[in-house]
Amino acid sequence: GQNIDQPTEMTATEGAIVQINCTYQTSGFNGLFWYQQHAGEAPTFLSYNVLDGLEEKGRFSSFLSRSKGYSYLLLKELQMKDSASYLCAGMDSNYQLIWGAGTKLIIKP
Amino acid sequence: GAVVSQHPSRVICKSGTSVKIECRSLDFQATTMFWYRQFPKKSLMLMATSNEGSKATYEQGVEKDKFLINHASLTLSTLTVTSAHPEDSSFYICSARVGDLEQYFGPGTRLTVT
């Protein structure tokens, strides 16, 4: 079956760095997405990885290892506004997104 | 960037009535639109995939007669919740896709059935 696993909740301190891990199993693979979702709002796109390695985009970076079925989202210089849920989603061979349950990130001053 | 709108953003209706939610791609033509449902503190649950001019493909467990989807044009899809009940109260989100990859999400519609 298809499955996305990520931690339910994480806590970090303002100004610090946090890494949110995601493991995936999909029928075929067309990439791994990370979305940010604030409470009561729709998800917004953060990153897309289809090749192994690290993609850096400002304070956010995303890593993919296809052989391990593993990805992480790295957030640097955390700000209070980064408090949100972070959704990992794998795209299968039919270009359908398989969603994880999301990781709620709590930022403390 | 691509913008997807949803209307209404919030709706409260009485049990037994029907509610229509519109999803529009404002500056692009979407080959495919998706309808999701999200319960509090849960991930997105895909309800159906909608292609313009054809019948929607519903996910297992989603009642097609209860959740009517009409994709009349490349920029508009509608979801009608028929004979709504309190358990239908949820956050409904649409997304539109261009090509094979990225989906652009609408802002969501909060439905409360009393």
Side-chain angles (χ1 to χ4, degrees):
Chain A
Q2 305 197 94
N3 192 52
I4 305 286
D5 280 319
Q6 55 182 128
T8 305
E9 187 174 294
M10 298 183 70
T11 302
T13 305
E14 190 177 16
I17 299 173
V18 71
Q19 177 175 312
I20 304 174
N21 296 322
C22 169
T23 57
Y24 66 88
Q25 290 177 306
T26 56
S27 300
F29 181 72
N30 278 301
L32 194 291
F33 293 79
W34 284 96
Y35 284 84
Q36 180 190 61
Q37 186 177 27
H38 285 98
E41 298 179 11
T44 54
F45 171 79
L46 286 179
S47 68
Y48 170 68
N49 294 65
V50 69
L51 299 176
D52 290 348
L54 187 68
E55 294 275 347
E56 296 186 75
K57 195 184 290 186
R59 294 190 298 115
F60 293 4
S61 303
S62 56
F63 172 83
L64 176 68
S65 168
R66 289 173 295 172
S67 62
K68 295 181 180 178
Y70 167 71
S71 173
Y72 68 72
L73 179 69
L74 190 71
L75 294 77
K76 303 176 185 177
E77 300 169 17
L78 286 170
Q79 302 175 9
M80 298 303 292
K81 67 179 182 180
D82 297 329
S83 294
S85 286
Y86 291 85
L87 305 174
C88 174
M91 181 168 275
D92 67 12
S93 57
N94 293 320
Y95 298 98
Q96 293 276 51
L97 284 175
I98 310 301
W99 293 89
T103 299
K104 182 179 180 181
L105 178 63
I106 299 169
I107 311 293
K108 295 186 174 180
Chain B
V3 179
V4 176
S5 71
Q6 258 182 263
H7 178 78
S9 57
R10 292 179 180 271
V11 58
I12 301 172
C13 70
K14 292 186 177 180
S15 188
T17 61
S18 295
V19 174
K20 179 186 284 189
I21 303 170
E22 291 188 350
C23 176
R24 294 180 185 271
S25 55
L26 297 184
D27 50 0
F28 66 100
Q29 292 184 325
T31 51
T32 306
M33 287 186 170
F34 301 87
W35 285 97
Y36 292 89
R37 183 174 181 178
Q38 188 176 33
F39 292 104
K41 301 182 180 181
K42 299 292 184 183
S43 188
L44 299 171
M45 183 191 80
L46 180 64
M47 298 175 67
T49 303
S50 171
N51 292 295
E52 184 263 341
S54 62
K55 289 184 178 180
T57 302
Y58 289 81
E59 295 299 302
Q60 193 172 10
V62 178
E63 299 175 58
K64 60 182 67 176
D65 294 330
K66 179 165 185 62
F67 298 99
L68 301 178
I69 292 173
N70 184 10
H71 196 155
S73 74
L74 285 171
T75 60
L76 174 64
S77 177
T78 61
L79 167 68
T80 301
V81 183
T82 62
S83 186
H85 287 95
E87 57 264 31
D88 298 325
S89 297
S90 190
F91 191 47
Y92 292 87
I93 306 172
C94 75
S95 69
R97 189 172 74 188
V98 179
D100 290 328
L101 293 179
E102 191 171 342
Q103 292 183 27
Y104 300 95
F105 286 88
T109 297
R110 174 79 55 194
L111 170 64
T112 303
V113 184
T114 61

